Every structure is written in structure tokens, then in C-alpha cells.
Amino acid sequence: MTPQRSAPWLVPAFVAFALVTLAVLMQGQDANWDLRNYHLYTPIALMDGRLDQDIAAAQLQTWHNPVLDFPLAWLVRAGASGWLVSLWLALPAFIALLFALRLMDGLWPAQRSTLRTVVAGLVAVSGAAVLSGTGTSFNDAFVAAGVLPALWWAVDSQGRRGVWATWLPVGLLAGAAAGLKLTAAMYCVGFAAAAMVAGPLRSLPARLLALAVGGIVAASITAGPWAWRLWLDHGNPLFPYFNQWFQSPDALSLPYKDERFLPLGWFDRLMVPFHLLVSGRRYSETSLADPRLLLGLIAMGAWIFQWLKARRETLTQSRTASSPWLTVVFAVVSYCIWVYLYGIYRYLYALDLVLAVLLVGMLSASVPGRFHKTALVVCMVVVIAVTDQPKWGRQPFSSPMVSVRFPALAHDSLVVLAEDEPLGHAVAFLPSRVAAISVYNNFMDPERCTRLQAKAEARIRQHGGPMYLLRTSREVPATHGRYEVYGLSISGECLPVADSLVPLQLCPLSREVVIPPRCPWSAPGR
């Protein structure tokens, strides 16, 4: 295929659109744990005004910034079909993939061709983080939709735009992503490191200042209103996270950090790219394998070596492609932050795309013309063949995408939650005056005395109307003790809840005895 000499955005846009659409159609509509837990609950609870009457209905994640989830919630509330909602959820994946392909073209313009764009698109979209996260409510694709345009802009601006014209937009995009989803902060650190090597030392303060101004302004806009609400309600703008610093009485003095997937020790951290060659659950709740991290790091090393060799041989910059330092430093520093802070592979959605296109781009620049096409196709086939994408919850497309119908409930009813299964999506469909209180989940626990736990206990003890237990249809034996400690017991036949995502039951509760307060707050409040 001949190089694309004109319309540099047309082919990447078509490839990105086709591949992302195909990925969505192949996998079906989203039904993952997070969707069932909080992505629908928190925005709908805000719209209905029920967030103040419920307690921890979406567990620890009740207090995540809901801004990105409002369009999803509006579509679901309007009864939109699964394919329409999925197209919305796939839009950021299209943007991220488009800019990833354009990044590759900008770094290796001489080898630009339709074949390379198609191969790079397939390698990128089939990544373990990318394919499984495309068309889902995880919002990692939204982070990538801010990070990839920012990285492309930074690379494209080198030698063409001034310091502020380059780094202020980068800061705005990265800061907006971090404000919307806190895990994107690792890419902000990556951009700060990249800015240090992106030009002469004399302009370094200006680069960092422009980046910081953009980041702070954007993060303040996207996270500020929600952080302010959390501060007013709980005394912690990141509630419940980092509560060892803020000391909100509504949570324990803990960071509430998920450390299940963090590599242990320096050797384990060094081995992460090799561990990812074999399917396993080291970095995900479900099995995955992805060679892109290892191959991408190797490609970056080869890229630096090739560039340095060309410099020594005094070849022109156009013969050796763009300087690798900005892109490589961004990728390596972002990866190192991920290794030390998270270890959850789906957070690498943006980096998965970057490494995929760097791999294909470097290969296209390194293989002689005679074997060029063969090498690209073989690379694509091998990489895709050894990738194992995690299997998050998916369902066939339906209309509406989510439907929940409860039996008739009196207005003064109270719904109790007592298990760590995700039930928030169903609570969002309760009548607006029927409150839901969780007494046990990944945040609430009768054995952990916090002000919120005391408030839940008092609300249950003082409630005079009907009470019900909302639970999954399968019996969880350990659930009994979680509500019985409040003197409650199931007192009748459980009724089915018509839930399109998971079978649920609503069981009537009665109070056998009045249990004295377990927590020290006699008059709990926020």
C-alpha cells in the first residue's frame, strides 16, 4: 500500500471508528461490577435527591466523582437501548485510538501507510486493557481520551509552537482527566517528567509553569464542585480516600487503597512485563495476559539506540524520525507510578495504546522495505494471539439497557443492604422517598465504628415503617449476621425484583429486639 500523502486524519479516523465499533458489537453491552455498583447509582441519586437520605448504597465507591457518569445515567433513565448507550461509552475509545494512530504518524512520518495504520489499530484495540474496557462504564477510556490528545499535541508542537501554546493545553487535558478520575494523576506526573526533557533548560520553568497552570485550572473545574460537596458533608474532599490525613469521623483513619494487585518489592516490580506474558490474576480480578508492555519497552529502548546512533553518524533528523525523549520519558514515568501506586492493569488503558503504536511504528522504521509488510502482519498476528483480555460482565444488547422494577412499596419503607454484592444500580430505581441504608459492604461494617455506621444503626433502630432486605437471589449464609446484629430478621416470603442485570429479592424484615447503640455517637450526624 502506498503511503498516505494527503488527508492525514482520514484513514486513522476511519480505522479507529471501524475497530472501536467492531469491538463493541463483538462484546455486547456493559454489565460489569462497577456499573451495577455505582456508575448508575451516584448520578441518579444526585438527580433524584436521594443521596442525602441513603447511606453507602454503592459501597466505598458511592463518593467517586460522578461527572463522567451523568450522560450514562441520563440515557439509562430515558430508557435508551443497549447499543445506543454502548456507542456513547465507546466514544472516548475512538478519540483515544485516533490520537494514538496520529501520534505514530507524527513520530515516524516517512513510513506512514494505510497498512501500518490498520495493523497499529488492530494491535492497539486488541490490548488487554483496551478491548475489555471499550464500551464500558469503567471510565479508563475517558482518561485515555484526554491523555492521548495531550501527548499527541506535545509531540506535534515540538519546534512548531511556543512553550505556553504547547504545555498549557497539555496541562488542561491531563488535569481535566485527573479531576474526573483520580487514577489519571499518574499520567500528570508523566507529563511533568516529559516537560523536563522537551526543550532547552532555560525554558524549563516556563514549561512546568504552563503545565501546572493548565492542570490546576482543569482539575479545579472537573473535581472542585464534587470535592467541595464531600468536604461539606464529610470533612474530606477525597472522601473516603486518604482519610489518614483528613480524619473524617465518617470513615476509619485509613487510606482506603486497593493494594491487592501491587507488586511486592523491587524484583517483583521489574518482573511485571514478564508476568504479563502468562495469563493470570496478578494485576486484575479476572485473568489477563498482554505482551504490549514488554514489547513496547523493548521498542522504546531500540528507538533510543537507533536515534543515538543516527546522531553519532550525523544523519538528519528526518532520516531518524522524531526525538524519542518526550514520549519515552512520559511512558516510562507513567508506568513506574502505576507500578508503585496501583498495579491494576485496566488503569493502563492509555499506556496500552501508546505502547502498541510505538511497537508498530518502531517496527515499520526498522524493517527493510522488502520485508516491511510481512513483518507488520506477523507482529500483529503474534501479539493478538498471545493476548488474553479480561472478561468483565457483558450482556447481549437489550432495550432498554437497564430495567429494574420493584414490588409496590409504601412511601415510609426502608430498604436495608447487607452484602458486598453490587446493588447500587437497583437502589437507583427505588421510589424517591424510599431510603436505602447499607449496614455491611466493602466500606460499612457493624464491627467498624464510624459516624456513618452509627447513623445507619440509629436510622434502622428509629424507623417505624416497613423494612425490607434487598439481596441477590442466591443465598449468602454470611449475610445473616450482618443485619441480625441490629435485631432484624426476615419475617416473610421474599419477592422477586425484576432486574435486567442480576436476579434480586426483596425480603420483609421485622425487629425482634431493640439493640442498644454499638457506636459512641448518641446523636449521629454528618
Side-chain angles (χ1 to χ4, degrees):
M1 298 185 183
T2 58
Q4 305 162 30
R5 299 301 182 187
S6 61
W9 291 90
L10 183 60
V11 173
F14 177 80
V15 170
F17 176 80
L19 293 179
V20 168
T21 303
L22 181 62
V24 171
L25 293 176
M26 287 173 53
Q27 297 180 97
Q29 68 184 32
D30 188 24
N32 75 78
W33 194 96
D34 286 0
L35 175 72
R36 290 181 282 128
N37 185 39
Y38 73 98
H39 285 298
L40 288 177
Y41 169 77
T42 304
I44 291 178
L46 278 168
M47 288 189 286
D48 288 349
R50 67 174 305 118
L51 194 63
D52 291 323
Q53 70 179 9
D54 296 343
I55 297 180
Q59 313 195 42
L60 178 74
Q61 294 83 5
T62 299
W63 300 280
H64 285 192
N65 190 340
V67 171
L68 285 175
D69 295 323
F70 274 108
L72 166 66
W74 287 327
L75 288 169
V76 169
R77 282 286 295 270
S81 62
W83 66 266
L84 180 59
V85 177
S86 297
L87 288 179
W88 159 252
L89 294 175
L91 177 60
F94 162 74
I95 295 172
L97 180 57
L98 170 60
F99 279 93
L101 296 174
R102 288 297 296 132
L103 173 68
M104 178 183 66
D105 288 344
L107 293 172
W108 291 279
Q111 291 79 28
R112 186 160 59 97
S113 70
T114 301
L115 175 64
R116 189 181 72 170
T117 301
V118 172
V119 168
L122 285 167
V123 172
V125 82
S126 60
V130 176
L131 182 62
S132 62
T134 296
T136 70
S137 60
F138 284 131
N139 289 334
D140 300 302
F142 279 97
V143 171
V147 170
L148 267 300
L151 182 59
W152 171 82
W153 182 262
V155 171
D156 186 69
S157 296
Q158 296 305 293
R160 299 179 54 196
R161 301 181 181 96
V163 169
W164 282 85
T166 298
W167 292 101
L168 182 63
V170 172
L172 289 169
L173 288 167
L180 293 168
K181 188 172 174 67
L182 190 58
T183 54
M186 64 182 181
Y187 295 115
C188 295
V189 179
F191 280 120
M196 294 182 181
V197 299
L201 187 61
R202 65 178 180 276
S203 62
L204 175 59
R207 293 197 299 272
L208 293 178
L209 179 61
L211 184 67
V213 168
I216 292 171
V217 169
S220 298
I221 293 172
T222 56
W226 183 246
W228 179 246
R229 177 183 175 117
L230 294 181
W231 174 259
L232 294 177
D233 288 350
H234 304 287
N236 178 348
L238 301 173
F239 186 82
Y241 299 104
F242 304 106
N243 205 49
Q244 78 277 22
W245 299 339
F246 294 102
Q247 298 291 314
S248 167
D250 291 332
L252 300 177
S253 296
L254 298 172
Y256 288 93
K257 179 181 178 182
D258 189 350
E259 298 181 342
R260 292 174 296 166
F261 306 105
L262 277 177
L264 302 176
W266 66 268
F267 181 75
D268 198 22
R269 296 185 185 108
L270 289 175
M271 291 299 293
V272 169
F274 299 95
H275 290 319
L276 282 166
L277 297 177
V278 181
S279 293
R281 298 191 177 189
R282 286 177 177 265
Y283 313 109
S284 175
E285 292 90 343
T286 62
S287 181
L288 68 83
D290 198 331
R292 288 161 186 77
L293 183 55
L294 178 61
L295 294 177
L297 292 173
I298 293 173
M300 287 191 294
W303 185 17
I304 292 173
F305 175 80
Q306 183 187 76
W307 187 80
L308 291 174
K309 179 181 177 182
R311 294 264 300 194
R312 285 195 300 268
E313 295 173 354
T314 65
L315 294 179
T316 63
Q317 185 71 1
S318 60
R319 293 276 303 277
T320 61
S322 300
S323 167
W325 295 115
L326 189 157
T327 308
V328 169
V329 168
F330 165 81
V332 171
V333 171
S334 299
Y335 166 68
C336 290
I337 298 298
W338 173 84
V339 166
Y340 276 89
L341 292 184
Y342 302 116
I344 299 173
Y345 194 74
R346 65 180 177 85
Y347 293 169
L348 287 183
Y349 192 111
L351 193 58
D352 213 21
L353 288 172
V354 172
L355 295 177
V357 298
L358 290 185
L359 171 62
V360 175
M362 185 59 198
L363 186 66
S364 70
S366 304
V367 177
R370 182 179 176 183
F371 304 103
H372 178 79
K373 295 180 180 179
T374 302
L376 289 177
V377 173
V378 169
C379 170
M380 176 188 69
V381 171
V382 172
V383 170
I384 293 176
V386 300
T387 301
D388 179 17
Q389 293 90 3
K391 306 300 186 291
W392 309 117
R394 300 274 188 165
Q395 292 180 343
F397 294 110
S398 63
S399 184
M401 177 184 176
V402 180
S403 173
V404 182
R405 294 190 303 277
F406 282 92
L409 297 173
H411 290 313
D412 60 344
S413 296
L414 177 68
V415 172
V416 176
L417 313 177
E419 60 183 87
D420 51 12
E421 289 295 316
L423 303 175
H425 73 281
V427 173
F429 285 83
L430 281 170
S432 59
R433 292 175 58 186
V434 176
I437 294 178
S438 178
V439 296
Y440 181 91
N441 54 38
N442 63 18
F443 178 74
M444 304 288 284
D445 190 325
E447 302 303 318
R448 297 176 181 176
C449 191
T450 67
R451 190 169 62 177
L452 270 185
Q453 197 76 37
K455 184 174 182 179
E457 178 182 320
R459 290 271 301 276
I460 291 173
R461 188 171 59 250
Q462 298 165 6
H463 186 73
M467 285 190 288
Y468 299 89
L469 175 71
L470 179 63
R471 69 180 188 182
T472 52
S473 293
R474 61 182 181 84
E475 181 62 35
V476 182
T479 299
H480 286 294
R482 296 168 183 170
Y483 57 84
E484 287 179 346
V485 297
Y486 296 101
L488 303 175
S489 64
I490 295 177
S491 58
E493 182 181 358
C494 296
L495 302 175
V497 176
D499 190 324
S500 63
L501 295 181
V502 60
L504 299 179
Q505 291 179 339
L506 198 64
C507 307
L509 292 173
S510 63
R511 185 181 290 108
E512 298 295 329
V513 294
V514 177
I515 303 296
R518 301 167 60 90
C519 288
W521 286 282
S522 58
R526 289 182 179 174

